[in-house]
Amino acid sequence: MSDCIFCKIVNREIDTELIYEDSKIIAFNDISPVAPVHILVIPKEHFPTIEDAKDSDILSHLFSKVVEIAKMKNLEDYRLIINKGEKAGQTVFHLHIHIIGKRDLKWPPG
Ligand code: 5GP
Ligand code: ZN
């Protein structure tokens, strides 16, 4: 996808420091972090949303690497977020998992 910002990161058209890379995925820091640790883990292949990837092996690979990356970053506790669709807050339509850590998470409320 030529106009996809995350495909540009995958293709090294935008210079981004990678935290992890293998043949199927990359991980890098979010450009506007909401917590001291805010990493995005994405497939190299362009899937606009998680729905588009539901039948692909990529999901299990992404999740097992997410756990490894969190360990690598010494995160004991962390939150994972996938936004699906505009109304849920998805702004970049290239599947990504947010790893959010080292922040006091007010959840569940109350
Ligand atoms: P979404 O809202 O789609 O779940 O998350 C998209 C995330 O991508 C946002 O947290 C935003 O800060 C991040 N982001 C958008 N453009 C770039 C970029 O060019 N580089 C990096 N590193 N992060 C980006
Ligand atoms: Zn893309």
Side-chain angles (χ1 to χ4, degrees), residues 92-106:
V92 176
F93 282 79
H94 180 130
L95 173 61
H96 51 281
I97 303 174
H98 298 254
I99 305 176
I100 292 170
K102 298 213 189 283
R103 184 177 98 168
D104 239 355
L105 296 170
K106 301 273 183 292

Side-chain angles (χ1 to χ4, degrees), residues 5-6 28-32 40 83 89-92 96 98:
I5 196 135
F6 286 179
F28 50 93
N29 286 320
D30 196 291
I31 204 166
S32 57
L40 300 174
N83 294 320
Q90 186 173 5
T91 58
V92 176
H96 51 281
H98 298 254

Side-chain angles (χ1 to χ4, degrees), residues 1 4-8 45-47 93-94:
M1 280 283 287
C4 169
I5 196 135
F6 286 179
C7 281
K8 286 185 177 152
E45 187 177 347
H46 181 88
F47 297 99
F93 282 79
H94 180 130

Side-chain angles (χ1 to χ4, degrees), residues 6-12 16 18-28 39-45 61-62 69 94-97:
F6 286 179
C7 281
K8 286 185 177 152
I9 291 174
V10 169
N11 297 328
R12 316 305 293 142
T16 305
L18 299 188
I19 290 170
Y20 176 82
E21 176 171 25
D22 66 22
S23 61
K24 294 180 183 155
I25 70 161
I26 58 170
F28 50 93
I39 296 166
L40 300 174
V41 187
I42 75 169
K44 287 186 170 175
E45 187 177 347
H61 184 70
L62 273 173
I69 291 163
H94 180 130
L95 173 61
H96 51 281
I97 303 174

